[in-house]
Amino acid sequence: MKLEITSRQAAFLRAEETEVLFGGAAGGGKSYGQLVDALLFALRYPGSRQLILRRTFPELERSLIRSARSLFPTGIFAYNATQHTGKFPNGSLIDFGYCAGESDVYQYQSAEYDVIRFDELTHFTKFQYLYLISRLRGANGYPKQVKSSTNPGGVGHGWVKERFIDPAPPDTPFTGADGVRRIFLPAKITDNRFLSAADPDYRRRLEALPEAERRALLEGDWNLFSGQFFPEFSYDRHTCAPFPLPPGWRRYRSLDYGLDRLAVLWIAVSPEGRAYVYRELCESDLIISEAARRIREATPPEECIHATLAPPDLFSRAQESGRSRALIFAENGIRFQKSSNDREAGWMAVKELLAPASDGVPRLQIFRNCVELCRCLPMLLCDPEKPNDADTEPHEITHAPDALRGFAVTWCRPAPAGEGGGQKRPWTPDMWQDYYAASEEERHYLMKKYGEPL
């Protein structure tokens, strides 16, 4: 049996870290590398058990199962289509599995594996990954590894990037905060001489893709990917180093609250209409009284907060008590102003803030100490059913962006045509409230922003 591999595939085969991620771009030979590695492990360790996973079974059947049956010699590999298991004469076996939904992980609840292999890891949620790698166990003394391959993009893009890409440069082993050794091994189409020889036009087809898909699939760029809801977000352009804020700037708090996560953003607005997110509070498992206390503690006594914005669902009365969560917050010292629950309008307002102002600088600046918002905002995906809405999954990345959305939909009103220019328009009560509370300088700005009132 003769197996030809690339130098990058060889690095994947040699990797001894507990968690290994291989790939990044299309055409790097990731799936082939997985199968060769699985075959060699099965032959080297008699009686070993491996699990190879895709998100859905049709994906698994069209790719890895078909390729394995073609690659593995029939004299040493027998595939049982009913059990989705391949067996070797030495007792080793490879299960081919899938996890379409999060509950599908429980079908592996009693399983034990020496190696678990995820193909297209970014198609899996973090919960699925963490649960499934808990099945990595056994007393046979064989190496225990999780070896994954993927392209950027998909529902798991953010957590995969955070777990493998951000902590260390490529090809550099590192130890995570949990004490686990990991490594990211990049591979591009240029590393796969076999594909380049067999299909020289493949690279040209990738180059013809739209920018996000091209950068992700051809270049393996983890900062821009297909399905990203805010492709316009740039860490360099939309974030800044913290600086002392002038005392006259109007300040807001905006929050998203649930027992799973409290996310609060403190936002200051300059006289020229630029919004600065200057502080964040993101914590889990806080009942309302604790959440209110943490918000009060995080707000200096001398800081004047113009309004604390909260979504309408917090104002709904509970059937059992007849009291709303907003009322309980108020009893604990945090009074809310209701923001809008119009998700599409809210996200469009965030996009308005991300757009450059007349001086070329975006209207939104995020202090770099607001790490959760900086991390989660570019991770949001488009809702596959509603192109103007962000997906609510993965849910854990939505809280800080939702708090920003609540501010944006309340505060960010698009300027009228001509930005003032003598045009008149009706002013809402909120506009008049802003005007009467403003200084002379701020009133001039509001007239320019809202247009002359009718």
Side-chain angles (χ1 to χ4, degrees):
M1 178 176 60
K2 183 180 180 181
L3 297 171
E4 291 187 295
I5 59 174
T6 69
S7 60
R8 300 311 295 161
Q9 290 166 343
F12 179 64
L13 269 59
R14 290 194 304 267
E16 297 180 350
E17 288 73 22
T18 302
E19 296 183 30
V20 181
L21 180 65
F22 179 48
K30 302 180 296 297
S31 297
Y32 182 83
Q34 281 277 29
L35 290 174
V36 170
D37 194 39
L39 173 62
L40 296 178
F41 190 93
L43 298 177
R44 185 180 303 124
Y45 299 104
S48 62
R49 301 173 65 91
Q50 300 181 73
L51 173 64
I52 300 180
L53 290 154
R54 283 293 297 259
R55 186 65 189 258
T56 68
F57 186 74
E59 292 173 331
L60 185 72
E61 197 167 34
R62 287 193 298 266
S63 56
L64 291 166
I65 293 176
R66 187 178 297 172
S67 297
R69 299 182 73 173
S70 173
L71 175 65
F72 295 175
T74 55
I76 62 171
F77 179 75
Y79 178 69
N80 185 313
T82 302
Q83 298 177 344
H84 312 311
T85 299
K87 295 183 178 180
F88 295 82
N90 67 355
S92 293
L93 62 83
I94 299 176
D95 286 337
F96 293 85
Y98 68 94
C99 281
E102 296 213 324
S103 61
D104 287 331
V105 299
Y106 299 116
Q107 65 186 306
Y108 305 99
Q109 191 167 17
S110 59
E112 293 185 359
Y113 293 103
D114 300 296
V115 182
I116 298 176
R117 303 177 184 277
F118 292 85
D119 193 53
E120 294 301 343
L121 180 58
T122 55
H123 292 185
F124 293 83
T125 68
K126 187 175 183 179
F127 168 78
Q128 289 174 317
Y129 181 81
L130 293 179
Y131 183 88
L132 287 164
I133 66 175
S134 70
R135 307 302 93 194
L136 199 69
R137 54 187 180 169
N140 56 19
Y142 294 164
K144 302 294 185 286
Q145 286 185 287
V146 185
K147 303 192 85 169
S148 305
S149 51
T150 199
N151 297 322
V155 68
H157 176 95
W159 74 260
V160 172
K161 182 174 182 288
E162 183 179 25
R163 193 176 186 90
F164 289 97
I165 312 301
D166 295 338
D171 295 303
T172 305
F174 65 94
T175 301
D178 54 3
V180 175
R181 294 283 288 169
R182 300 186 179 95
I183 191 170
F184 168 55
L185 303 171
K188 298 182 180 181
I189 187 174
T190 51
D191 299 315
N192 189 350
R193 65 182 187 277
F194 306 113
L195 178 62
S196 299
D199 188 359
D201 290 333
Y202 183 62
R203 179 186 177 91
R204 196 153 42 243
R205 293 196 293 273
L206 293 180
E207 290 173 340
L209 291 170
E211 182 185 11
E213 288 85 347
R214 176 181 57 77
R215 285 176 55 180
L217 296 179
L218 180 61
E219 303 169 19
D221 188 340
W222 285 83
N223 295 311
L224 189 66
F225 57 92
S226 179
Q228 188 176 22
F229 191 73
F230 289 116
E232 61 267 63
F233 179 84
S234 164
Y235 187 83
D236 291 336
R237 289 187 291 108
H238 292 103
T239 71
C240 65
F243 61 87
L245 296 170
W249 288 11
R250 178 166 291 186
R251 304 184 188 210
Y252 297 83
R253 289 183 301 216
S254 184
L255 66 81
D256 180 68
Y257 173 74
L259 193 58
D260 59 332
R261 197 70 169 164
L262 165 71
V264 188
L265 304 178
W266 281 255
I267 305 167
V269 180
S270 69
E272 65 270 21
R274 184 161 286 124
Y276 292 82
V277 182
Y278 63 93
R279 186 186 301 132
E280 70 175 12
L281 170 64
C282 300
E283 295 184 14
S284 298
D285 301 318
L286 298 176
I287 61 175
I288 292 178
S289 59
E290 293 172 340
R293 176 179 57 81
R294 291 291 294 117
I295 296 171
R296 295 196 311 270
E297 290 174 347
T299 307
E302 69 278 5
E303 199 164 84
C304 179
I305 301 298
H306 176 69
T308 300
L309 307 173
D313 62 280
L314 292 187
F315 293 81
S316 301
R317 295 179 182 272
Q319 276 190 335
E320 299 80 5
S321 65
R323 303 166 75 227
S324 69
R325 287 178 290 174
L327 177 60
I328 301 174
F329 266 103
E331 291 172 350
N332 285 273
I334 303 294
R335 295 186 177 276
F336 293 150
Q337 175 180 317
K338 189 185 297 186
S339 62
S340 170
N341 223 15
D342 188 331
R343 291 179 57 84
E344 293 190 7
W347 294 130
M348 291 305 105
V350 174
K351 285 182 175 286
E352 289 284 345
L353 288 177
L354 292 172
S358 57
D359 60 0
V361 179
R363 298 173 63 198
L364 176 69
Q365 293 291 294
I366 305 170
F367 280 16
R368 288 175 186 148
N369 57 347
C370 299
V371 293
E372 183 152 331
L373 181 61
C374 291
R375 178 177 63 87
C376 294
L377 192 62
M379 289 185 192
L380 290 182
L381 300 171
C382 295
D383 187 311
E385 305 297 329
K386 303 173 185 175
N388 293 326
D389 195 3
D391 203 338
T392 56
E393 297 294 337
H395 186 64
E396 64 268 15
I397 69 171
T398 62
H399 303 287
D402 278 342
L404 179 64
R405 173 170 58 85
F407 165 78
V409 75
T410 304
W411 179 83
C412 181
R413 306 175 180 90
E419 275 204 285
Q423 297 191 20
K424 293 187 177 184
R425 62 178 300 198
W427 277 23
T428 66
D430 282 350
M431 292 179 179
W432 282 112
Q433 182 181 4
D434 287 347
Y435 181 82
Y436 288 127
S439 66
E440 192 63 33
E441 180 184 4
E442 290 172 332
R443 288 183 177 187
H444 284 297
Y445 162 71
L446 292 173
M447 291 282 287
K448 180 181 178 181
K449 177 181 177 182
Y450 299 149
E452 187 178 350
L454 286 171

